[in-house]
Amino acid sequence: MALKQSQSIIRFFSIFLIFLSESKVFACAWSVNFEITRIAMFRAERSNYQKLNSFLYTSNLYNTSDSVSERDQQINCEEWQTKMGKNIATIDIFRILYQTESEIFELAYNTHTLDSVFKNNTFIQVLLQDKNKPILEYLAMAKKLEYNTTIHWKWESWDYWDYSNTAYRKKAIFKAPTTTITLIKDEFLKYRYAFLMMRQAFYSDNHDEVINIYEKYFAGNNSSILKHWATYYMAMSVNDQVKSNYYLSKAFDFSDDKAFPATRHFDLSLTQKTLLLAKNNREKGIIIGMASLRNPGPALDNLEKIFRLIPNDELFSFLVTREINKLEDWIFTPQFSSEGPSISSDDNWYIDYEKAKRVNLKKDITYLKKLKSFLMKAHLKATGEQKDFLAISIAHLSFMDDDIETGRKYQQLISRKANASIQIQQSIQMALLTISNGNIRSDSVKQCLWQCFNKMEALADTDRSYFKTIQSVLRIIGTKFIEQGDAATGGLLYLKSDLKAELYENFVNDYDFYENEKYYYSYIGYFDRLASEQDMMNLIHLIEKKKKTSFEKYIIEGTTTRVDVYRDLYGTIAFRNNHLQTAYETFSKISPKFWSNHYDYFQYLDSDPFFPSILNQSYNNYKFNKPNFIKTLINLESKQTAESYLKLGHAYFNISYWGNSWMMVSYDWSVNMDDYYLDAIYGRSGLKLKESYQSGNYLNCNLAKDYYKKALALSNNKEDKALAALMIFECEYYQYCKTINAYDVLNPIKFRPGREIIAFNSMYKNTEIYRLYSCPLTESFIK
Amino acid sequence: MNFRSTFLLVSVVALIACNKKQSVVRSFCLWKTQAVIDDNSDTLMKQLGLQHLYLRYFDVDWNPYQEEALPLATMSRFEMKSYDVKITPSIFIVNTVLLHCNKKQLDDLAANIFKRAEAITEALADQYSFHQSYLLPDSVNDDKPLRRPPDYKAKFRNNISEILIDCDWTEQSRDNYFYLLGQLKQKFSRFEISVTIRLWQYKYMTKAGVPPVDKGLLMCYNMSDVKNYNTGNSIADIREFEQYIVHNRYPLRLDIALPVFSWVSVFRGNQFKGLLNNKINYTDTLAFKQIAPGRYRLKEDILVYETYLRSGDEVKVEKVSDEAITQMIAILKKHIKISRFTKVTFFSFDNKYIKDYGTETITKYYSLF
């Protein structure tokens, strides 16, 4: 029995020697999705940004947006309407051309059921007139060819079970007619057939044919949208890459639909040579702008050039938005999240992170001032929407730079007729100003914040990329609340921000919406690390409040769970602060069943806390009850006897990291790698917090040791004295374990036990306690 | 009461429960492209005492360009833990296929369906066997078999004795469909062939015809249009149901399919806006006003994750109530012959729906037959 006990003690010690050693934390152990943690609040836009949305600054390759331009398709529908008659609704044309699956049209066409399948469609009704038969035939052909290039393929093959195999698709390839085109007299149809032929030639790698068709039908003064689409295929077919760049810039300029692929295929290394082909300032501005869209670093030089060439163009404004978003990422992301900026423009970033961070911040602020100064000059020359846009941009940069006065001045220059995105940006800036200058606890400030949230939510309803803006604003405002001592509101705002980040992540990754099952700690993580007892009281009050304000309803929705979870945390924080009475009263309000059914209490609070766990490894399904436990501590404290101190020593030993009831104090048992993970999510160092629990007792057993010392001094019972002496040694040993670095074998720190272990091995050698718990390790320290 | 007497009492209760014969074959429909029966699902299956699963293998639709019926949405993954159940592969044929196929194409279709179903069974049997081998005791995995490991592939194949063909055929497609079924019966000669019977096909059996197969699966749900504001309950309305189950002359043996799923539809100004997939707290009287059982009107704007619900919107929670299912069972029992071989299946196996109804409630439904 004695041998068995001592073996278990030794094993326990050796495990901790390893466990407490310093572990290097490598970032690769846990990866962060930088696009999700990126902070971006600036979303002011000019009217025609849809075309450029894919190029908004992002840490992904391209930005994801709900807002996709349909301008080209609308123009095409209007061309059809001009051809077929003003009585036809363009919405009906749009439905057939762009919202009808090729197979469905083909089936209806073949079975002569177009009129019933597309009931009440004015376009179909006119197409079915005899005189329009050639046009209907053209459309059927165009739809067939569309089937060739369908990307999202639902059909599988009887021959292959692996339905990603596309071998069977060959059977369905159609060819556009090449011989009949010369016979077609109708110009409308002729160009459309020509475009079909050209696209078909392109997909068949017949680039000479693409060039021939382009020169013959589209190079001249053709005003149709087809010309600009054809320019893109021309660009992709010419051999000369400089010429190709030039055609791509033309396609970019005149077609919303081709703007993205044109920019993607633009060869950046040939920008200067391409500029030599440009015939005027506009063409030059577009070419430099296309190159700038793919520059993730500072691009002020190009911005200045573009402003000289096309000062009022939306492309210039869009590039200003990108520049501001870059600065937000560089300056705000490290400040308001645990991560660095999502994209670093400095290669030396990781050499010395903290040093690089300081240097980069200084550099970024200097760059911000330069950009602001340039925009202020540009603002003087700007007109109309561009003027409002530049004013809001300057205001935003000023607030980022803490130059409140300039920020306010430019805000006032924005006209009342400014577009919705500029007005929302104004309201975000006002919200941030309000919390910086006002009393954050006042209802008027909170009402102002809610109005801002509400506006952003309405925008996110139609464009989910706004979740990023909401996430960022909530995070920043949450930080302000925490800084001003309101961790209850701040924590809820952080949780709300996390919800938006989750929605943004679903959107960016094109996940079907799913609700992540929340784990217990996710509800309390921020509060566990940031909240005081007063914060927890406020939070519980807020959750239970009957008539909540709009602001309160907003921050509570989706972020909180049953109130007992927060009561439990409140009691735990009070207990960590040694406020036993508060802890007792708080825990008493919770049903005892709570600890049987929630979190891991059932698993980790199952042992007798009044006998040292290291001396008794058996688990006896002890019915642990938090309020009763604390009540017992209070009672023992008041007795001030040797027996009560010995019991208190056991209890404080067991609620330390080293005991069997550590979950009375901490929600997790980790001190190294796992803490890094939680630190990254919830902020602050978990290890540092744990060092502060119960005046240090959680990791050092200092309170336990004090009680054992009192027991040793007061007791007349030899067995109790032996046990107290042994446990004083254990407490000292654990304190030592916490400080050593097991890897540092060259500079070992020697353990120097107190005199109690000598007494244990001499004065108390005849006790039952000695017989049961002495071991070679304890003896080795007296030699 | 001491431990011995408690144990004795529990044993007696267990013995009584075991001796009670199960009245029907307990079944569920598993309608997923990738079906992984994880620990949670496995536990639910055990709690329900499931003996049988309908497994959707693939769908068949008409491709107008290739002018042939082609498969789509094939099941690509099926993993089960320990629980053994009989399996009926199910194949859904879109009615358009039958409207366009000629006899030759129907012959080819039957051959293709047979070949594909066999290939899928073989592949799923492989997956099952591979997965089960990981669950074997270490001694078997360590090349020190105490006994010969079971042939899991054969076990999987042997659990299949029936093929279900699912199609909402019409009068126009009836002849082609029945011809196809005849061909399928020949191909799947080792198996029983069953078909789904919609309620209208049951009621108007002369018009719809009776398929030339071994048995039918009567589908007792999805009777009304979810997008119609005035629809009582689009999943299953007991008044509607009563109007369909009006005779007891259907000449085929029938298994029964009942609904255990729910959805939440949103109407804005009586116009259907979509289905919501999220949990909402309707008891929040600040935000909701109950206007009828299962119907709530929003008193203020709320954000339900991705959906912004506005004040005045109506939310309709549709779920077939416990009472309605119980009544449906009573009506079914009155008109349809139920034996211990009758499969009673629920659509569809999803932890969310099962937990929503509760395994005890669903078990009660089985026992009501």
Side-chain angles (χ1 to χ4, degrees), chain A residues 58-254:
Chain A
T58 168
S59 57
N60 289 339
L61 206 50
Y62 298 104
N63 179 55
T64 312
S65 174
D66 267 336
S67 181
V68 179
S69 171
E70 287 176 346
R71 179 179 158 270
D72 285 16
Q73 289 79 358
Q74 288 295 350
I75 292 173
N76 192 27
C77 289
E78 283 160 21
E79 288 180 18
W80 275 88
Q81 189 193 40
T82 307
K83 169 72 183 167
M84 305 293 289
K86 288 288 173 194
N87 293 335
I88 301 171
T90 49
I91 194 170
D92 286 345
I93 302 172
F94 194 91
R95 186 184 163 203
I96 300 300
L97 296 189
Y98 300 111
Q99 293 177 325
T100 300
E101 262 185 40
S102 168
E103 295 97 307
I104 290 172
F105 187 88
E106 176 75 4
L107 193 59
Y109 178 71
N110 286 346
T111 53
H112 307 289
T113 54
L114 282 168
D115 52 345
S116 58
V117 173
F118 302 103
K119 214 171 173 180
N120 300 328
N121 187 296
T122 52
F123 183 42
I124 290 292
Q125 284 163 3
V126 174
L127 276 174
L128 287 172
Q129 292 169 8
D130 285 346
K131 63 173 183 179
N132 290 326
K133 198 178 168 205
I135 300 175
L136 181 60
E137 281 171 357
Y138 158 77
L139 196 59
M141 171 56 68
K143 280 284 178 190
K144 263 194 176 123
L145 290 169
E146 186 182 302
Y147 175 81
N148 281 349
T149 50
T150 303
I151 299 166
H152 300 293
W153 193 261
K154 70 177 181 182
W155 300 102
E156 298 168 16
S157 159
W158 291 115
D159 300 326
Y160 301 94
W161 187 31
D162 171 13
Y163 46 86
S164 60
N165 194 309
T166 53
Y168 54 91
R169 286 177 57 180
K170 283 176 189 163
K171 195 176 166 186
I173 297 289
F174 304 102
K175 284 187 178 166
T178 50
T179 52
T180 53
I181 189 162
T182 48
L183 302 174
I184 298 170
K185 287 180 183 160
D186 183 329
E187 292 286 299
F188 178 85
L189 274 188
K190 184 179 275 192
Y191 286 125
R192 272 164 175 73
Y193 269 114
F195 182 72
L196 286 188
M197 278 168 54
M198 187 184 190
R199 207 171 56 174
Q200 188 70 22
F202 175 78
Y203 286 116
S204 310
D205 292 331
N206 188 352
H207 297 295
D208 289 342
E209 180 71 358
V210 172
I211 295 166
N212 286 340
I213 296 172
Y214 182 82
E215 297 293 355
K216 192 168 178 183
Y217 295 99
F218 298 106
N221 235 355
N222 187 327
S223 62
S224 168
I225 187 72
L226 297 183
K227 175 183 170 122
H228 308 304
W229 296 345
T231 304
Y232 170 74
Y233 291 108
M234 177 67 176
M236 298 301 291
S237 298
V238 290
N239 276 328
D240 181 342
Q241 192 53 46
V242 178
K243 265 190 184 172
S244 172
N245 262 10
Y246 178 70
Y247 281 118
L248 287 171
S249 73
K250 301 293 284 178
F252 173 90
D253 195 15
F254 293 104

Side-chain angles (χ1 to χ4, degrees), chain A residues 102 147 156-158 161 513 557, chain B residues 63 65 69 71 73-74 116 123 303:
Chain A
S102 168
Y147 175 81
E156 298 168 16
S157 159
W158 291 115
W161 187 31
F513 179 78
E557 200 210 349
Chain B
N63 183 313
Y65 290 111
T74 301
R116 193 174 188 78
L303 189 67

